[in-house]
Amino acid sequence: MEIRRQALLALSLNDPTHKVAAAQAAWSAWSAWAAGPAAAESVDGAQRSLLDVDALLQPTCPLPGRPPRPELVAAKDVPRRSPFTPEGRAALLHSVAHIEFNAINLALDAVWRFAGMPRDYYRDWLLVAAEEATHFSLLREHLRVNLGHDYGDFPAHDGLWSMTQKTAGDITARMALVPRTLEARGLDATPPMQAKLAAAGDHRAVEILAVILRDEVGHVAIGNHWYRWLCDRDGLDPVAHYAVLTARHGAPRPRAPFNFDARRRAGFTADELAALDDPR
């Protein structure tokens, strides 16, 4: 089962609807494969079926595939709008939809780019891709049906994918700085956003964000698990090496307020949580 090639093909698709369908199909294909006779294979045999496709994994177009809109601008140039107007609420939820669209891509990239990992690594990131596709679809439907807009109607920035590019050559840096740093910021930002949307009367958006927050705890936990697995494999101290990677790749320092409960459920240690309050 050439699942890494399937992930690459999904990653290369430009149309969001097609990408969503391909990401979910990849997860369905994995689930069907794992439930069948092949599920009894040894890990080594499963790895061969997953990983012996590197000669085929030669991207022929720029990655990731994405539609011509939204216009991508610097983060400082994305207008900040009040959720208490319909247009401002649409712009806010569009920014979340853009994050979820990029999150589909980064999960697919984690599957195709890094060979030689255990079978469960590929399972985890295919699941993440499928769930991010669901999140994007829920937000896009709400934009279309209730707010009179669609994905692409507002400018967006490319910070999440930029870090994915920076860490393309180092899987340990990828696990450290994308899921457990940039995506973990969503754990902190979501409850205050839900409060504002509830005050604005957009209860459907609050429900969608609750689904996203629930799933994102699991996604960050996956990043934490594989970061620590890689550090253990390579004899690295996870806390000390995280500081090295943060400085090397210019990762942003998390900003308060923090959702300590969600971060704890996502697998951050007591020392890591205490470090968030350290002003150094």
Side-chain angles (χ1 to χ4, degrees):
M1 182 181 181
E2 296 175 358
I3 202 69
R4 287 180 57 227
R5 186 167 187 244
Q6 192 170 351
L8 175 58
L9 292 174
L11 179 64
S12 69
L13 293 173
N14 296 320
D15 182 88
T17 301
H18 296 163
K19 188 185 295 287
V20 163
Q24 292 174 333
W27 171 245
S28 295
W30 170 277
S31 300
W33 170 78
E41 290 181 355
S42 68
V43 170
D44 286 345
Q47 280 185 300
R48 282 196 296 274
S49 66
L50 283 165
L51 303 176
D52 290 350
V53 294
D54 289 318
L56 300 174
L57 296 179
Q58 300 299 325
T60 57
C61 57
L63 295 178
R66 56 176 128 214
R69 299 171 64 239
E71 175 190 7
L72 297 179
V73 299
K76 64 181 178 59
D77 295 329
V78 177
R80 302 188 71 175
R81 306 189 191 187
S82 168
F84 296 99
T85 67
E87 188 79 358
R89 194 155 60 252
L92 173 62
L93 292 172
H94 182 277
S95 70
V96 181
H98 181 67
I99 291 169
E100 298 302 317
F101 182 77
N102 271 291
I104 302 170
N105 286 328
L106 73 87
L108 293 169
D109 189 84
V111 173
W112 90 262
R113 187 174 296 277
F114 300 111
M117 291 292 287
R119 179 176 61 176
D120 285 352
Y121 169 88
Y122 301 98
R123 178 205 63 196
D124 285 350
W125 287 107
L126 286 171
L127 172 62
V128 171
E131 290 183 344
E132 303 290 16
T134 297
H135 300 167
F136 173 78
S137 298
L138 290 170
L139 289 162
R140 190 181 191 189
E141 179 185 34
H142 185 53
L143 283 168
R144 285 172 156 177
V145 173
N146 298 313
L147 294 170
H149 282 280
D150 196 2
Y151 179 59
D153 286 356
F154 299 92
H157 70 83
D158 209 23
L160 191 57
W161 184 255
S162 294
M163 185 58 73
T164 303
Q165 290 179 305
K166 288 181 181 179
T167 57
D170 183 347
I171 187 174
T172 308
R174 172 69 63 83
M175 295 297 108
L177 302 180
V178 176
R180 69 191 306 271
T181 298
L182 296 187
E183 289 193 280
R185 295 173 72 176
L187 305 182
D188 306 323
T190 298
M193 192 185 309
Q194 287 178 294
K196 290 178 182 178
L197 290 166
D202 194 334
H203 301 295
R204 178 55 182 156
V206 174
E207 292 173 353
I208 293 170
L209 290 179
V211 172
I212 293 174
L213 179 58
R214 178 199 68 199
D215 292 346
E216 292 297 341
V217 169
H219 301 175
V220 176
I222 286 169
N224 268 320
H225 169 76
W226 289 111
Y227 173 66
R228 295 197 179 99
W229 185 91
L230 288 158
C231 286
D232 184 62
R233 182 194 70 178
D234 297 336
L236 300 167
D237 176 80
V239 175
H241 194 57
Y242 179 76
V244 171
L245 293 172
T246 298
R248 180 181 299 162
H249 297 285
R253 181 175 177 80
R255 299 187 300 269
F258 300 111
N259 186 344
F260 287 107
D261 176 64
R263 283 178 173 267
R264 193 174 295 109
R265 286 185 284 120
F268 287 98
T269 67
D271 287 344
E272 288 170 329
L273 294 176
L276 292 174
D277 281 334
D278 189 336
R280 289 178 295 173

